[in-house]
Amino acid sequence: MTGIALRVLRFHKGGFLASFAGLFLGALIVVGCGGLLETGIRADAPPQRMAAAPIVVTGDQRYHGTVEELIFPERARLDAALTAKIGAVPGVAAVVPDVSFPAALASHGAVTGHNWASARLAPHRLAQGAAPSGPGQIVLGEDLAERAGLRTGGRVELLVNGAAERFQIVGLAAGTGDVFVAGTEAGRLAGRPGKIDSVGVLLARGADAGGVARAVESAVGATAAGAGPAVLTGDDRGRAEDPGLIEGTDDLIPLAAAFGSLAALAMVFVVAGTVGLSIRQRERETALLRAVGATPGQLRRMILAETMILAVAATALACWPAPWFGQWLLKAFVHGGVVSDAVAFRSGAFPLIAGAGLALTAALGAAFMAAHQAARTRPAEALAEAALQRRWFSVVRLVLGVLCLGGGAALAVGTAGSDGPDAGGVATPAALVWTIAFGLLGPVLARAINAALTRPVRALSGLAGELATANARARTARLTTAVMPVMLATGLALSLTYLQTTQSDGNRRAFEQAQRADLVLTSAAGGVPLDAVETVRNVPGVAAATARIPSRGFVEPATAPAPSGGGDGGEEEESAGPQPTELALQGITPQGADRTTAYRAATGALTALKGDTVALPTRYATGHRLGDTIAMRLGDGTRTRLRLVATVDARRGYETALVPAALLAPHTGTGLVPQILISADPGTDRTALSAALTSIGHPGLQLTDRHGLAAAQQDQDQTQATMAWLVLAVVVGYAVISLVNTQALATAERRREFGLMRLVGATRRQILRMMAVEASLVAAAGIALGLLIAAFTLIPAGLSVLGSAVPGGPPWILTAIVAAALGLTILTTLAATRITLRGGPGSTG
């Protein structure tokens, strides 16, 4: 049968080209997502500033001893004394401490500062002047100096650590846009004297890097379980330059998996449809083979062979550009701020093999679905079956469809019961399951929708409607094949789009409900000292002022894992018992918090937030009483024990734990207060108040109102939106291509039918009207099924995120998607019909 399959491919190029296109595009997406998945798993980030150091020692950002990998969001720093221990290790030629700090040039924006010794690790060389050797001296990167119009010997004002400092430019460094100061100055400007970020280890000539790395681990107390600093080699050294790298690449893993799954699902529907149409184009040939003695197994093998020949060719061809497609996706995520630009794309043999295997499996499944109908026809019925499609459903398909409906219902319940921010992670697979269910039950549902529309269509379109509904009723399999891509495109577009807008609305509502401030004070110097809050509070016209320091932390269970990362050290064992709970932290000054924030104590009092205390969300305080000690980890991994002084009610999934600002600030990146929330006295002149607030004696102060703060929050939400819109664009774009492909092929295979209609007197216009009505029926059925998929996906998500069955987002999105599906279906069908009707009745037939 393989030989027959090869010969058949030569004489039915149209159908097979459509299948080949669907297979190629699907394999391209799936294999490209495989490369993205490997990139996330490997998390390679080749070092840039530390490229000259074969070994880098840095604080461990991983929360070890947990089932789910958790990452400390704030940098875990090292004691400067650690450099002496590392320097004493045999085989170490030199150790170079690295200290980095955020800063801003008064007139040219944000920069990053480093200690001059770390320039040796890049390596950066002096292009002009000399190295900084004491206070008040600075070296600028040549690129920065050129942009700012600065030169050696000049002076520059640097906004850093909440203050403005003037420096003399003593030199320019080649190949960088950063700034460098003397080692002692770097620690002071970073606000952490005696602390360093990392240590670059340079090896003696002939020393074995692996052996020295193991000796360094022993010297600094690093263990396989994660206690102590992290000793990095190879591409892992890039993690020392960007602590957020681990968390960013971890996001790629579920993203790539979901992306590839959506593409594989779309591929199954697309290929099943195009292969099914291709088989129906040669129903008479298949019927003749059955009539002359071909067995069901032989027909099935022939169809499977045809599809697999196409699939292997299409997948092999797709494997060549797939890595470039994966790189393009990664660049898009980098551009959207989803992952760091330091992440290196990695696509080895695994994504090619796994992605190609998944693509071939999807094609095989689609081919089996398409072959099943042709293979199970009895020989005596074969020719009649070719003329009139009487078999259009099976018990197996019905059972599988009902099972998928049950799975979709279970996931819908899970979505409705999940935390708001997590609802999208459950709703996306729910959309997949609902799509599969409706795809399996497509013939039943399409027939039911067609029956419901028969009378209105006949009433509105006369004879064209009579012919169109009769065709749809007689050719259920063809109708279903045409409906499926419309359903797929509409359902995925509506589900993915409104999932994103719903999540964005949920974040916006949670943010707005938590804010009561009229004004927000920030600083280009990275923040302001904590005592500035009291200064602001004493400005005439200020009713209340509160510090706001955002971070994240972890509530440890009663039997917590041993400390690691930035904690106290010690042995640690993997734990499968109670796990820590991650939640948002916010450091506040309790005085005035009732006027500037929406936080209200359900029990206890927020005014008691002083010293080592915490106010937990009510849900996370279950099992604890006021006065109990809560074991927690702060954002840099530091372990602490805080006294519970209050509980706070909040929307599920948007809860925040409150701690004193003085407790949290030293465990954040700058140690400063990034925002001061201010409520003004009624009737206060806002212009005069703004002038008074920006001149309280701290540099770079900037004032914005509540709307400006909300806009900044929306910019942060846009990072997550980038992922969703990119997935939407690629997967729905593929579904739309399949829609056009399938409609064109479904129309072209009716050449004989159109020819017969022309011979009995039908005009081109009448056939076009009939096809326009048929296309409208197909679009209506597909859109109705797509709306059902979207409804079953979005209603639970809306209940979880917004507390409403109505999803967030503007109504015009629904209108645009429905109009696009309807327009594409009708236009594609009419265009294909016009092409098929070219020539006279004899040539058409």
Side-chain angles (χ1 to χ4, degrees):
M1 300 304 287
T2 303
I4 296 177
L6 288 170
R7 286 191 289 274
V8 166
L9 289 173
R10 296 172 53 196
F11 296 103
H12 294 280
K13 297 183 180 66
F16 290 122
L17 282 175
S19 299
F20 184 87
L23 285 163
F24 172 79
L25 292 173
L28 177 68
I29 298 172
V30 171
V31 178
C33 288
L36 207 61
L37 182 64
E38 182 178 357
T39 299
I41 293 172
R42 293 179 60 173
D44 287 344
Q48 300 175 24
R49 288 196 309 103
M50 298 186 176
I55 303 170
V56 175
V57 182
T58 190
D60 197 348
Q61 299 295 137
R62 299 178 188 268
Y63 193 145
H64 293 275
T66 61
V67 174
E68 179 186 358
E69 185 175 62
L70 301 174
I71 306 299
F72 297 123
E74 311 286 355
R75 181 184 280 278
R77 289 180 168 81
L78 306 173
D79 288 329
L82 199 64
T83 56
K85 292 183 179 180
I86 300 172
V89 172
V92 174
V95 292
V96 182
D98 174 65
V99 178
S100 300
F101 53 89
L105 291 182
S107 56
H108 290 86
V111 296
T112 302
H114 311 281
N115 58 317
W116 172 247
S118 67
R120 181 180 179 185
L121 300 175
H124 293 306
R125 61 176 180 81
L126 278 172
Q128 298 179 32
S133 58
Q137 296 183 351
I138 194 170
V139 168
L140 304 183
E142 277 189 316
D143 298 341
L144 175 63
E146 183 177 353
R147 292 197 309 269
L150 301 171
R151 61 187 64 189
T152 304
R155 300 189 69 83
V156 64
E157 185 175 70
L158 199 66
L159 304 181
V160 60
N161 197 26
E165 302 208 13
R166 293 190 64 80
F167 292 86
Q168 182 180 10
I169 303 171
V170 296
L172 301 180
T176 180
D178 295 341
V179 303
F180 298 88
V181 297
T184 54
E185 283 287 274
R188 180 182 67 82
L189 295 176
R192 288 176 174 77
K195 295 287 186 179
I196 57 177
D197 295 342
S198 306
V199 179
V201 181
L202 304 179
L203 302 182
R205 186 182 299 275
D208 175 58
V212 174
R214 288 189 290 272
V216 169
E217 287 178 350
S218 178
V220 301
T223 68
V231 179
L232 309 176
T233 58
D235 284 345
D236 287 343
R237 293 171 294 166
R239 286 162 38 193
E241 299 178 6
D242 183 4
L245 180 68
I246 306 172
E247 190 171 19
T249 51
D250 282 350
D251 289 341
L252 281 179
I253 298 173
L255 178 64
F259 207 163
S261 299
L262 284 168
L265 172 68
M267 185 177 177
V268 169
F269 278 99
V270 171
V271 176
T274 53
V275 171
L277 281 172
S278 177
I279 291 171
R280 277 191 289 279
Q281 279 184 327
R282 45 198 174 89
E283 283 174 332
R284 294 179 185 276
E285 300 169 18
T286 305
L288 182 60
L289 285 173
R290 289 290 286 125
V292 299
T295 66
Q298 288 175 319
L299 279 181
R300 191 178 292 111
R301 286 196 298 274
M302 181 188 75
I303 294 169
L304 291 176
E306 293 170 359
T307 306
M308 292 314 294
I309 290 170
L310 288 173
V312 169
T315 303
L317 185 61
C319 284
W320 176 64
W324 281 272
F325 177 71
Q327 284 182 306
W328 176 81
L329 286 176
L330 182 62
K331 288 179 181 177
F333 291 139
V334 169
H335 181 71
V338 178
V339 294
S340 168
D341 58 359
V343 177
F345 182 77
R346 294 289 185 260
S347 182
F350 169 75
L352 289 177
I353 295 172
L358 180 59
L360 291 174
T361 302
L364 185 63
F368 184 82
M369 291 167 57
H372 179 70
Q373 175 68 38
R376 71 191 183 101
T377 305
R378 294 187 180 92
E381 298 175 345
L383 291 174
E385 184 75 15
L388 183 63
Q389 297 170 2
R390 293 177 297 183
R391 296 177 179 269
W392 54 278
F393 206 60
S394 68
V395 174
V396 174
R397 188 167 181 170
L398 176 63
V399 171
L400 290 175
V402 171
L403 288 175
C404 286
L405 286 178
L411 286 171
V413 172
T415 302
S418 62
D419 290 352
D422 301 329
V426 187
T428 300
L432 294 179
V433 176
W434 286 121
T435 303
I436 295 171
F438 288 158
L440 291 169
L441 299 175
V444 175
L445 298 172
R447 192 179 180 107
I449 294 171
N450 179 61
L453 294 175
T454 296
R455 287 189 177 182
V457 168
R458 287 177 176 176
L460 292 173
S461 53
L463 179 60
E466 290 274 359
L467 291 173
T469 54
N471 277 330
R473 187 170 58 252
R475 298 278 185 173
T476 303
R478 184 174 65 194
L479 173 70
T480 303
T481 301
V483 164
M484 287 302 100
V486 182
M487 177 198 77
L488 185 68
T490 305
L492 288 180
L494 287 171
S495 298
L496 294 177
T497 301
Y498 277 111
L499 271 178
Q500 173 54 39
T501 56
T502 299
Q503 293 279 28
S504 295
D505 277 7
N507 293 336
R508 178 182 54 79
R509 289 188 188 182
F511 180 79
E512 290 177 351
Q513 289 170 3
Q515 301 302 318
R516 293 290 183 271
D518 300 312
L519 300 168
V520 181
L521 190 67
T522 60
S523 173
V528 295
L530 189 56
D531 58 13
V533 179
E534 186 63 30
T535 304
V536 169
R537 193 175 289 130
N538 293 327
V539 172
V542 172
T546 307
R548 179 179 181 269
I549 306 176
S551 185
R552 290 206 325 273
F554 305 87
V555 177
E556 294 191 324
T559 55
S564 67
D568 306 325
E571 292 299 322
E572 178 175 342
E573 297 178 358
E574 291 295 321
S575 170
Q579 297 296 299
T581 302
E582 184 176 6
L583 76 166
L585 281 182
Q586 193 164 129
I588 66 168
T589 47
Q591 185 179 354
D594 58 334
R595 299 283 299 275
T596 57
T597 72
Y599 300 119
R600 299 293 181 268
T603 60
L606 296 185
T607 54
L609 281 171
K610 299 174 182 177
D612 294 341
T613 57
V614 63
L616 284 179
T618 303
R619 179 158 64 118
Y620 296 106
T622 302
H624 296 285
R625 294 181 299 177
L626 296 180
D628 285 353
T629 298
I630 309 295
M632 294 187 66
R633 292 289 189 91
L634 301 181
D636 61 352
T638 299
R639 194 175 189 184
T640 184
R641 300 182 70 82
L642 306 178
R643 182 167 54 89
L644 182 65
V645 296
T647 60
V648 181
D649 287 333
R651 289 177 57 200
R652 185 179 177 89
Y654 297 95
E655 297 98 338
T656 299
L658 306 177
V659 296
L663 170 69
L664 187 60
H667 302 282
T668 61
T670 63
L672 302 172
V673 177
Q675 295 177 345
I676 299 179
L677 307 180
I678 302 167
S679 289
D681 285 325
T684 300
D685 184 348
R686 293 295 177 88
T687 303
L689 179 59
S690 298
L693 288 170
T694 52
S695 50
I696 60 173
H698 295 277
L701 292 179
Q702 301 167 342
L703 202 64
T704 184
D705 59 14
R706 190 184 305 172
H707 299 295
L709 195 62
Q713 178 67 22
Q714 290 175 2
D715 288 342
Q716 294 179 10
D717 290 342
Q718 191 61 36
T719 296
Q720 297 299 320
T722 299
M723 296 188 293
W725 293 125
L726 187 59
V727 171
L728 178 70
V730 175
V731 175
V732 175
Y734 177 50
V736 168
I737 291 173
S738 75
L739 185 157
V740 174
N741 204 7
T742 303
Q743 299 306 324
L745 184 61
T747 304
E749 61 108 1
R750 300 173 66 178
R751 183 180 299 272
R752 186 183 300 273
E753 176 187 334
F754 292 161
L756 180 61
M757 293 179 69
R758 293 291 307 282
L759 288 173
V760 298
T763 65
R764 285 191 179 89
R765 178 172 294 182
Q766 288 173 324
I767 294 174
L768 286 170
R769 287 185 60 192
M770 179 193 74
M771 291 303 295
V773 176
E774 277 195 41
S776 299
L777 280 172
V778 167
I783 290 169
L785 293 177
L787 287 171
L788 284 176
I789 292 172
F792 291 153
T793 301
L794 296 173
I795 289 174
L799 291 172
S800 172
V801 178
L802 303 175
S804 167
V806 180
W812 66 260
I813 294 177
L814 171 63
T815 305
I817 291 174
V818 169
L822 178 63
L824 277 173
T825 305
I826 294 176
L827 290 176
T828 303
T829 302
L830 293 180
T833 304
R834 283 184 178 275
I835 294 172
T836 305
L837 289 173
R838 285 177 180 173
S843 61
T844 305

